[in-house]
Amino acid sequence: MNETPHAGTESVWAGEEHLFSEGAITLPIFNSVTFGYDDMNEWNDVALGKRKGHIYSRNTNPTVRPLEEKIRILDGGEEATSFSTGMAAISNTLFTLLKPGDRVVAIKDTYGGTNKIFIEFLPRLNVEVCLCDTSDFETIEQEVKNGCNVLYLETPTNPTLKIVDVERLATMAHAHGAIVVVDNTFATPINQRPLSLGADLVVYSATKYLNGHSDAMGGLVVGKKELVDRIHHYREITGATLHAQSAYMILRGMKTLELRIQRHNENGMKIANYLAQHPKVDQVFYPGLETHLNHDIAKKQMRGFGGMMSFSLKGGFNKVITVLESLKFAHKAASLGSVGTLVGPPRTTSHVELSEQERANASIPESLIRYSAGIENADDLIADMEQALARV
Ligand SMILES: *Cc1c(COP(=O)(O)O)cnc(C)c1O
């Protein structure tokens, strides 16, 4: 028994096994803001990092730490830290790594909030932002050569599930001295491990698949110790700390991560195949379909294709309204990666602030529906889709 345990085992055990007390088999939620020391020397040693322990919950907390440890182990990283939300993880990472005069290269199809950091906040700090066509790897490589401190990637992307070749871009970015950051929210470490593909840092919205139940928000950063330590320090001072209660919820959700992702993968594949043959459906965007633009790269770097997909209907937005309002087993809501199916039109959710022309430029059809397949029975989800499409 000296082999590294598999992901399904790590999801349940990693990071937690030495922390149970009083015979409890679940982790306590340490709501304590501060941690007391009767021995002044011990207090001093912990404060200086010479000895293990906790001082103040903005910095570290005994319920939060095991969650950081669990994601570190699942992603195969040197160090991990956590945040109050995914956007806190992403913005703190970028603000730690970039300073005035630097240049960041990123894909155009990042998460909406991330995109706002690039177009609204980083330019104010005199950081040059270069956003490239997500599928145009040659241009991304050229822009990295033109000067790049941080290469920021996300794969698969929202909402059209584009796939970025992490290994190819990380290799060339390192040759030019750039730090490579990958948002792995859609894939999770079960389907894809960007650190093993050459990324330096992986960022997550733990609000999505990692927690998996749409009842807690959080963010995580994993990767090279030297970088994570700097990001953690930035968070200690700026304060977007994950609460112990949320950390517990995410830890609990993560115990079933492999199980849930296996089911999301199965359901995603079945529903995408069903939609692809439906006469009222125009296009289906799912990396597991052979017709997907970058299916080859997806096959190479992913172990499963996930539960996220989008599809467009023949006809206009009124058809979308009919389908969405007819679906029974789908919450009509923003967000994704929950046990329950979630569905929404990018036109009114992630891309609501764009004009029709801007959406067209971004190759987002007006009749696009984003579908986050839950862990329900696939036959029921397909039957539900069948009756909804029949009303169009
Ligand atoms: C939701 C999401 C985020 C932001 O996470 P929050 O927890 O909502 O702040 C970042 N990246 C991706 C890919 C997401 O889906």
Side-chain angles (χ1 to χ4, degrees), residues 88-105:
I90 292 165
S91 59
N92 279 244
T93 296
L94 290 168
F95 290 133
T96 300
L97 300 179
L98 293 161
K99 59 181 188 312
D102 280 356
R103 188 167 191 264
V104 55
V105 177

Side-chain angles (χ1 to χ4, degrees), residues 29-69:
I29 303 171
F30 289 92
N31 280 317
S32 192
V33 162
T34 189
F35 302 89
Y37 294 89
D38 290 329
D39 179 333
M40 294 300 116
N41 287 325
E42 187 187 349
W43 187 1
N44 194 55
D45 285 351
V46 174
L48 290 173
K50 286 186 193 164
R51 189 201 275 238
K52 277 197 170 174
H54 302 274
I55 297 285
Y56 187 60
S57 279
R58 171 150 45 73
N59 306 337
T60 63
N61 171 284
T63 309
V64 174
R65 189 59 193 153
L67 171 63
E68 297 166 346
E69 207 28 34

Side-chain angles (χ1 to χ4, degrees), residues 84-90 110-114 152 154-158 183-186 203-208 216-219 335-336 370:
S84 53
T85 65
M87 276 318 301
I90 292 165
T110 49
Y111 177 74
T114 310
Y152 187 96
E154 188 176 318
T155 183
T157 65
N158 185 35
D183 183 334
N184 200 38
T185 299
F186 273 34
V203 292
Y204 287 104
S205 168
T207 312
K208 313 293 170 53
M217 301 193 84
S335 200
L336 60 104
R370 191 181 74 175

Side-chain angles (χ1 to χ4, degrees), residues 313-382:
L313 298 175
K314 291 176 182 159
F317 189 66
N318 57 334
K319 305 257 161 79
V320 171
I321 295 174
T322 307
V323 169
L324 293 188
E325 292 186 351
S326 307
L327 283 172
K328 246 185 344 181
F329 297 126
H331 296 289
K332 276 66 83 174
S335 200
L336 60 104
S338 193
V339 288
T341 295
L342 286 158
V343 68
R347 186 181 180 271
T348 49
T349 55
S350 54
H351 293 71
V352 67
E353 285 170 35
L354 274 60
S355 68
E356 194 163 335
Q357 187 56 48
E358 285 171 324
R359 279 191 292 269
N361 293 346
S363 309
I364 297 173
E366 291 299 292
S367 68
L368 193 69
I369 294 174
R370 191 181 74 175
Y371 191 88
S372 167
I375 62 165
E376 301 93 335
N377 182 295
D379 293 342
D380 293 332
L381 294 179
I382 288 171

